[in-house]
Amino acid sequence: MDKIRNFCIIAHIDHGKSTLADRLLEHTKTIGERDMMNQVLDDMDLEREKGITIKSHAIQMQYTHNGTTYTLNLIDTPGHVDFSYEVSRALAACEGALLLVDASQGIQAQTISNLYLAIDNDLEIIPVINKIDMEGAMIPEVKDQIIDLIGCKENEILLASGKSGIGIEEILEAVVARIPAPKGSVDAPLQALIFDSVFNSFRGIIAYYRIFNGTLKKGDKVTFIATGAEYEADEIGVLKLGLEQRTEVKAGDVGYIITGIKTAKDVKVGDTITLTSQPGEMIHGFEEVKPMVFAGIFPVVTEDFEELRDCMDKLQLNDASLTYELETSQALGFGFRCGFLGLLHMEIIQERLEREFNQTVITTVPNVSFYAYTSRGEKLVVNNPAEMPEPTKLDRIEEPFIKAQIITLPDYIGNIMTLCLGKRGILINQSYLTTTRVELIFEMPLTEIVFDFYDKLKSQTRGYASFDYSPIGYREADIVKMDILLNSEKVDALSALIHRSRAQDFGRKLCEKLKELLPRQQFQIAIQAAIGAKVIARENISAMRKDVTAKCYGGDISRKRKLLEKQKEGKKRMRQIGSVEVPQEAFLAVLKLD
Amino acid sequence: MAGIYIHIPFCRKACHYCNFHFSTGTGLMGDMLKAIVKEAGLRSQYIAEPVETVYFGGGTPSLYSADDIKLILEKLAGLFAVTHDAEITLEANPDDIDAQKLHGWKNAGINRLSIGVQSFLQSDLQWMNRAHNVQQAESSIVLAQDAGLTNITIDLIYGTPTLSDEQWKLNVEKALALGITHLSCYALTVEPKTALADMIRKNKIADVSEDKQGRHFEMLMDWLAAAGWEHYEISNFALPGHRSRHNSGYWQGKPYLGLGPSAHSFNGKARQWNVSNNPAYLKSIEENKVPFEEEILTPVQQLNEYIMTALRTAEGINLAAVETKWNGPAAAGILKGAGKFLQNDLMVLNNNNLVLTRKGKLMADGIAAELFGEE
């Protein structure tokens, strides 16, 4: 066990985590040059393209130093706030972490929050400044930031470049020398922490775990403590470039287990695997993952609903954090009300549906989960504007609040204040992390983040701000349901739950945006925003002026018919609401308001 | 009944807006005449019905002498059952028209002239690059009437970049004052790959304004209605009894035979079109082969063509006819699609006929597309 090191890499998006991981794998010859493909660990197309890690991964390396061979388990974690819980479980599986900071960008909020998580988990932190050979590298300044933040000595900070392979050997040496070996007993009752799972269409769910105590043998009867389910360990092993079978995996090591489980839901991240015959304690820190953001997903063509249902089922097999239930919309027909971890997760699901499953879907206005207390004293969880009771039947509504942490340059404090206060934020704290790094803490309603917060934050700070949040419970709020009407027909898919003070402005902007997005038709279209019967904003789209070509003689007929047939085909992607045709993108207009 | 269309693929010069098939080199005119006559022979089996209309279009058919036209008509009369009262139209440009030619055409059997006036404004004719001037435009009509060819249609173009509302009014008044019986009016369409498209792209001329075109069209409908003309197809107006029988055939889905390069033919179920290249056409005919491509129409495509063309006519879409020729669901589908247009006064339902209103006539394309059936 003293020859094992388990570690992860903490880094902000684009700070070079995946590239550095590639270099470590190369250097330890875990992977030959022939198999080398950029960002080996990000094996979803989407991950490579977006340069982000969506799921946790793990890979084992053998590293020989001064004649001793060590087993290094690198656990790659997601870097986005939507996946904080998964990150926390992956961190819990490690004894140490490389804190990777881009030499030209410095510390970012995401890094800090994950760093705190790592420190909370008692991880040994090895600070690494990456991309030191890039133009604009500010090595002394970034060193200062790191020292301020974790209180290390300057000579403990390693310098590296994943791109050109600088400092890789030093990093591996530090992993062996500084990160403690796992503790635990191979003879104690089994305690294996599940930090992720993947779906394989032939094998079912493959769960990844870290064993804290005990030994897992092939064929053992095991219990997953949180779900209470019992299985047989059909196959176990360790994670190299692929799966490598073993007959046993012992305390301290990282491995996989295949039990014939078919759906991701049955394998919960944070759960503990133990032996049915000799059960151990559950490892502390397990939580049920709760979706934060809800939106409807509908097929563009109503007849494709059954096909979409199949795809959602399949998608959920390998993404347990996706929840969905049937939803019926007057405007969009049958679809699903889906719960996501956050907006990025929502975007990922939508893209995976389109790419991996070839579905074209309409995603509706996202909303958070509200609590509605009726005058009869019931508490309802409202994940869909359509479910909100009539105002007369309501006692009060509560909305989820978050603690938002923003790290930026002092120049942008003013802009961020304006933005956050405008979104009903309350400033809790402002502190200088270094002379050039300011941390702002706000308490804000989550619903204000859901709409267009990220983009605004980016544009208000020219990208020099990083953002993280964590939920801090529910608070009473004056929430109203705002409806959109097209030629007097309510479009339920465009209804939104919003704070009364923001409704007027929001309604006006949404009407303006819809005016841009709806094509002109042969007659006038009235767009209205209303709360109950009261119209709070209105726009008109004037009728088309002329849509007829001059000639239609012998030779023109087939040409023209084809043209019009094509036009008709294009309209298939639109939804008919009353007499108005609504293109797909209009349903997400709400996310793109200025 | 059926029609025959003869495409004469030559022009003296190229109008800046035109994308029809033509050549400004007239060296092949002799060979072309022989080839067209030969093609008529090769395709004598294409239509069995009596031929009630013959139409010389182009291009510029008036480049051919009266004898040449006569040669073609005599050949057609020998091959097809051309009725004695057939409507025989010749497209002629004002600059080709003189008393002698008119006399010859009339003797050859031409009984209707389509004169390509386009405008009675010199400035318009100039930027269009027309070969004639205003004076020729007027005198050609008078000469034709003097020669006894009184069934005359002219083309006018509106909504052009330089045409004011007032000038448009003068143009239409002039046409009516000249005593013609039929009028085709086109909103200027900027076709890709024309000199006009290039001029607009290079900002040498203003782009067409949809607003102005809509306005000119509405004005036109008002004036001609007041003058007692029938607006029997989107772009076509006639004094009672003077509708174009040939073009009406197209809109009623009747069969027609097209001769000459780029000419289209239709037998009720398939459309075919000859190659749009004069030398290629000549060579192929020389080898006794008609150089054409063909498209066989599915029932839905036939229905869509009916919807598209019928909607443009004063009679509109006859739902009973749809039910008979296609089926009940097809008719029901059209009626369902028409709902919002009926509701918004773009269409009316008259005795089972769906007819565009004045407002709807400006939207015929989009409406037709929405009424289309699907495979």
Side-chain angles (χ1 to χ4, degrees):
Chain A
M1 207 183 306
D2 59 342
K3 305 283 187 299
I4 297 176
R5 299 290 182 274
N6 297 316
F7 71 106
C8 59
I9 305 176
I10 296 169
H12 191 68
I13 291 172
D14 283 344
H15 281 197
K17 184 173 66 167
S18 300
T19 311
L20 182 75
D22 289 351
R23 288 297 95 73
L24 296 176
L25 299 181
E26 265 176 5
H27 198 84
T28 55
K29 307 207 165 43
T30 310
I31 182 169
E33 254 173 63
R34 204 163 48 88
D35 298 326
M36 196 63 210
M37 156 161 77
N38 278 342
Q39 306 181 0
V40 172
L41 290 182
D42 290 343
D43 53 15
M44 251 188 262
D45 280 351
L46 206 57
E47 291 187 317
R48 284 209 187 89
E49 222 167 90
K50 286 193 182 258
I52 54 169
T53 304
I54 297 168
K55 293 184 72 72
S56 298
H57 304 263
I59 193 159
Q60 195 173 82
M61 301 172 259
Q62 303 298 326
Y63 170 63
T64 308
H65 183 61
N66 292 338
T68 313
T69 299
Y70 294 87
T71 297
L72 311 185
N73 289 306
L74 167 61
I75 298 175
D76 191 26
T77 61
H80 193 273
V81 56
D82 283 4
F83 307 103
S84 299
Y85 174 69
E86 291 182 338
V87 177
S88 81
R89 294 303 84 203
L91 293 177
C94 300
E95 276 78 27
L98 300 177
L99 169 65
L100 193 66
V101 184
D102 184 307
S104 53
Q105 307 229 327
I107 305 258
Q108 304 288 321
Q110 189 71 65
T111 325
I112 296 186
S113 53
N114 285 345
L115 177 68
Y116 287 157
L117 272 178
I119 293 172
D120 284 349
N121 279 291
D122 285 330
L123 264 53
E124 175 67 33
I125 309 293
I126 301 173
V128 179
I129 301 180
N130 193 23
K131 305 194 190 180
I132 54 161
D133 51 350
M134 288 271 286
E135 215 174 302
M138 329 171 284
I139 298 168
E141 210 190 338
V142 176
K143 273 187 177 169
D144 286 346
Q145 287 177 8
I146 293 173
I147 293 166
D148 282 353
L149 197 64
I150 60 172
C152 65
K153 299 199 178 67
E154 193 187 332
N155 62 10
E156 288 172 358
I157 301 172
L158 305 179
L159 301 180
S161 165
K163 267 243 156 62
S164 29
I166 303 169
I168 303 302
E169 176 65 24
E170 288 77 4
I171 291 172
L172 289 166
E173 280 173 17
V175 166
V176 168
R178 293 198 222 165
I179 296 177
K183 297 183 187 73
S185 154
V186 292
D187 304 318
L190 180 67
Q191 282 182 300
L193 171 71
I194 299 176
F195 62 85
D196 201 9
S197 68
V198 295
F199 172 78
N200 178 299
S201 43
F202 303 107
R203 317 295 307 271
I205 300 295
I206 305 170
Y208 297 164
Y209 55 81
R210 150 76 197 274
I211 302 186
F212 283 87
N213 278 304
T215 302
L216 175 63
K217 294 197 183 75
K218 184 180 161 126
D220 276 347
K221 284 254 184 301
V222 292
T223 303
F224 286 29
I225 298 179
T227 61
E230 289 174 17
Y231 305 98
E232 195 176 303
D234 293 342
E235 182 185 321
I236 60 169
V238 295
L239 299 145
K240 299 277 180 151
L241 190 54
L243 304 178
E244 223 174 87
Q245 287 198 45
R246 294 280 189 276
T247 51
E248 58 176 30
V249 181
K250 292 181 173 173
D253 215 345
V254 171
Y256 72 89
I257 179 170
I258 298 172
T259 58
I261 297 175
K262 291 282 179 272
T263 68
K265 269 189 294 188
D266 295 338
V267 179
K268 294 189 187 296
V269 169
D271 197 354
T272 305
I273 306 173
T274 192
L275 291 183
T276 312
S277 55
Q278 194 196 358
E281 293 281 301
M282 181 153 188
I283 297 163
H284 178 72
F286 172 75
E287 282 173 30
E288 288 279 353
V289 182
K290 282 202 204 79
M292 302 288 277
V293 174
F294 297 82
I297 288 188
F298 293 85
V300 166
V301 183
T302 38
E303 294 83 63
D304 293 346
F305 170 73
E306 283 304 329
E307 204 181 317
L308 178 62
R309 183 207 291 272
D310 269 4
C311 298
M312 294 295 289
D313 288 347
K314 280 185 195 142
L315 196 53
Q316 205 189 35
L317 290 182
N318 63 17
D319 186 346
S321 43
L322 168 71
T323 63
Y324 62 91
E325 55 187 44
L326 193 68
E327 180 180 7
T328 329
S329 154
Q330 283 167 347
L332 300 173
F334 286 112
F336 299 98
R337 193 73 191 169
C338 303
F340 309 98
L341 300 177
L343 282 184
L344 177 73
H345 188 215
M346 171 171 132
E347 200 182 311
I348 288 165
I349 295 294
Q350 187 175 350
E351 282 200 35
R352 291 188 63 191
L353 279 173
E354 301 206 336
R355 286 183 197 203
E356 295 169 33
F357 297 93
N358 206 17
Q359 298 292 299
T360 326
V361 295
I362 293 172
T363 314
T364 63
V365 183
N367 61 261
V368 301
S369 189
F370 294 92
Y371 294 161
Y373 294 87
T374 63
S375 33
R376 287 164 53 198
E378 297 160 298
K379 175 186 170 185
L380 306 171
V381 177
V382 177
N383 294 334
N384 184 344
E387 293 166 357
M388 187 59 85
E390 291 298 312
T392 51
K393 293 182 182 148
L394 269 175
D395 176 48
R396 65 182 195 283
I397 298 175
E398 287 180 356
E399 64 173 339
F401 259 66
I402 54 153
K403 188 176 105 180
Q405 175 197 35
I406 299 169
I407 293 177
T408 187
L409 307 181
D411 298 358
Y412 300 114
I413 295 176
N415 288 356
I416 292 175
M417 288 285 199
T418 313
L419 173 66
C420 292
L421 299 181
K423 291 197 169 281
R424 299 191 285 133
I426 306 156
L427 181 68
I428 298 300
N429 191 29
Q430 172 179 349
S431 60
Y432 280 77
L433 299 173
T434 68
T435 49
T436 56
R437 290 282 136 139
V438 185
E439 183 193 56
L440 300 166
I441 307 283
F442 290 90
E443 288 181 358
M444 294 177 77
L446 178 63
T447 186
E448 299 286 347
I449 307 295
V450 164
F451 285 154
D452 55 352
F453 185 77
Y454 291 104
D455 291 347
K456 285 239 171 93
L457 183 67
K458 247 188 232 160
S459 65
Q460 291 291 312
T461 60
R462 301 176 182 203
Y464 285 108
S466 52
F467 171 73
D468 190 22
Y469 70 79
S470 51
I472 53 170
Y474 276 70
R475 294 183 187 175
E476 188 172 341
D478 189 6
I479 299 292
V480 292
K481 181 172 164 226
M482 194 193 76
D483 298 314
I484 293 290
L485 297 93
L486 297 177
N487 280 355
S488 307
E489 296 235 15
K490 198 187 282 183
V491 188
D492 56 0
L494 282 172
S495 295
L497 294 168
I498 186 166
H499 195 262
R500 191 181 299 275
S501 67
R502 309 255 292 134
Q504 176 91 40
D505 182 53
F506 180 73
R508 188 177 50 78
K509 285 180 178 159
L510 186 52
C511 287
E512 280 170 14
K513 192 75 195 176
L514 287 169
K515 184 178 179 175
E516 274 174 44
L517 291 175
L518 298 182
R520 281 201 302 161
Q521 290 186 207
Q522 293 94 346
F523 38 81
Q524 178 176 293
I525 304 169
I527 307 167
Q528 293 170 307
I531 298 174
K534 189 176 166 233
V535 174
I536 55 168
R538 180 188 172 108
E539 290 284 338
N540 285 328
I541 299 177
S542 55
M544 222 183 266
R545 185 67 181 99
K546 178 176 165 288
D547 177 27
V548 57
T549 48
K551 290 167 284 188
C552 195
Y553 292 155
D556 308 320
I557 291 174
S558 48
R559 178 179 107 156
K560 191 159 164 161
R561 189 201 75 233
K562 282 173 200 157
L563 213 71
L564 296 184
E565 280 174 345
K566 214 167 161 189
Q567 193 176 318
K568 165 130 188 167
E569 188 62 27
K571 287 204 170 170
K572 267 194 181 168
R573 289 178 70 95
M574 297 203 205
R575 276 313 176 86
Q576 185 100 17
I577 313 281
S579 58
V580 182
E581 269 149 4
V582 185
Q584 210 183 335
E585 63 266 25
F587 292 100
L588 272 179
V590 71
L591 290 178
K592 293 169 196 139
L593 301 181
D594 300 322
Chain B
M1 63 160 262
I4 295 176
Y5 174 79
I6 303 110
H7 190 81
I8 307 300
F10 301 102
C11 282
R12 200 161 276 134
K13 64 198 258 195
C15 300
H16 282 341
Y17 53 85
C18 182
N19 72 335
F20 284 119
H21 168 64
F22 62 88
S23 161
T24 49
T26 50
L28 293 173
M29 280 184 66
D31 292 343
M32 187 61 70
L33 181 69
K34 286 180 209 142
I36 288 174
V37 167
K38 186 170 174 191
E39 189 194 354
L42 293 171
R43 300 183 66 193
S44 60
Q45 303 306 310
Y46 191 79
I47 35 180
E49 296 96 325
V51 171
E52 292 197 337
T53 64
V54 178
Y55 194 102
F56 290 89
T60 314
S62 54
L63 289 175
Y64 277 114
S65 71
D67 287 345
D68 295 337
I69 299 295
K70 191 174 174 191
L71 178 73
I72 296 175
L73 285 173
E74 278 172 358
K75 179 75 180 180
L76 294 182
L79 291 166
F80 301 95
V82 182
T83 58
H84 72 281
D85 63 344
E87 174 193 276
I88 301 176
T89 309
L90 179 90
E91 282 183 356
N93 274 351
D95 46 307
D96 287 330
I97 293 176
D98 59 43
Q100 199 195 337
K101 259 191 166 171
L102 285 162
H103 188 70
W105 288 333
K106 188 162 183 266
N107 279 344
I110 301 293
N111 53 27
R112 186 172 180 269
L113 277 186
S114 169
I115 303 180
V117 169
Q118 317 305 343
S119 175
F120 291 105
L121 284 168
Q122 193 54 42
S123 56
D124 262 354
L125 296 177
Q126 245 146 27
W127 79 253
M128 289 174 189
N129 200 33
R130 294 292 299 185
H132 66 275
N133 59 34
V134 174
Q135 199 270 324
Q136 285 171 317
E138 289 185 41
S139 64
S140 64
I141 295 170
V142 178
L143 278 172
Q145 289 163 333
D146 288 349
L149 280 165
T150 53
N151 200 4
I152 296 172
T153 179
I154 68 169
D155 294 344
L156 290 179
I157 297 188
Y158 62 84
T160 60
T162 56
L163 188 70
S164 69
D165 293 1
E166 190 53 33
Q167 286 170 325
W168 175 227
K169 185 163 190 251
L170 290 171
N171 252 345
V172 176
E173 281 173 354
K174 171 71 90 185
L176 297 188
L178 282 163
I180 56 170
T181 55
H182 186 279
L183 187 58
S184 295
C185 294
Y186 304 124
L188 178 71
T189 311
V190 184
E191 300 285 356
K193 294 181 197 159
T194 56
L196 176 62
D198 190 56
M199 281 152 65
I200 290 172
R201 195 173 54 78
K202 291 179 177 153
N203 287 322
K204 285 186 189 159
I205 194 164
D207 199 353
V208 295
S209 141
E210 190 186 303
D211 220 45
K212 189 201 258 187
Q213 296 201 328
R215 198 169 62 239
H216 283 185
F217 184 48
E218 286 175 333
M219 290 157 75
L220 176 71
M221 287 193 276
D222 292 343
W223 299 329
L224 289 176
W229 286 55
E230 293 174 347
H231 188 184
Y232 74 103
E233 197 265 353
I234 295 277
S235 304
N236 291 279
F237 301 81
L239 280 174
H242 290 86
R243 294 184 181 194
S244 161
R245 283 157 59 193
H246 183 80
N247 289 331
S248 294
Y250 293 144
W251 305 323
Q252 288 160 7
K254 292 185 176 159
Y256 54 89
L257 167 69
L259 302 173
S262 86
H264 285 241
S265 306
F266 179 57
N267 63 7
K269 292 200 162 50
R271 294 193 181 276
Q272 64 180 65
W273 51 96
N274 287 348
V275 64
S276 295
N277 177 303
N278 292 356
Y281 170 82
L282 291 172
K283 183 161 179 287
S284 181
I285 295 293
E286 174 76 41
E287 293 160 4
N288 297 316
K289 262 191 351 230
V290 182
F292 70 91
E293 283 179 70
E294 187 183 39
E295 179 187 25
I296 293 162
L297 300 178
T298 65
V300 171
Q301 287 171 330
Q302 291 176 36
L303 172 66
N304 290 348
E305 291 192 348
Y306 171 74
I307 291 171
M308 185 179 81
T309 50
L311 190 63
R312 292 173 62 98
T313 65
E315 288 67 36
I317 298 169
N318 184 287
L319 292 174
V322 171
E323 203 168 331
T324 313
K325 184 156 181 208
W326 286 273
N327 50 46
I334 294 172
L335 191 59
K336 181 165 174 274
K340 61 177 175 177
F341 302 119
L342 291 167
Q343 197 184 327
N344 285 284
D345 302 323
L346 294 160
M347 275 180 141
V348 286
L349 187 60
N350 286 340
N351 303 322
N352 227 6
N353 279 21
L354 279 169
V355 183
L356 292 177
T357 61
R358 184 185 129 105
K359 227 162 87 181
K361 283 175 183 158
L362 286 140
M363 305 291 160
D365 284 7
I367 295 176
E370 292 199 35
L371 301 182
F372 272 12
E374 279 173 39
E375 298 289 346

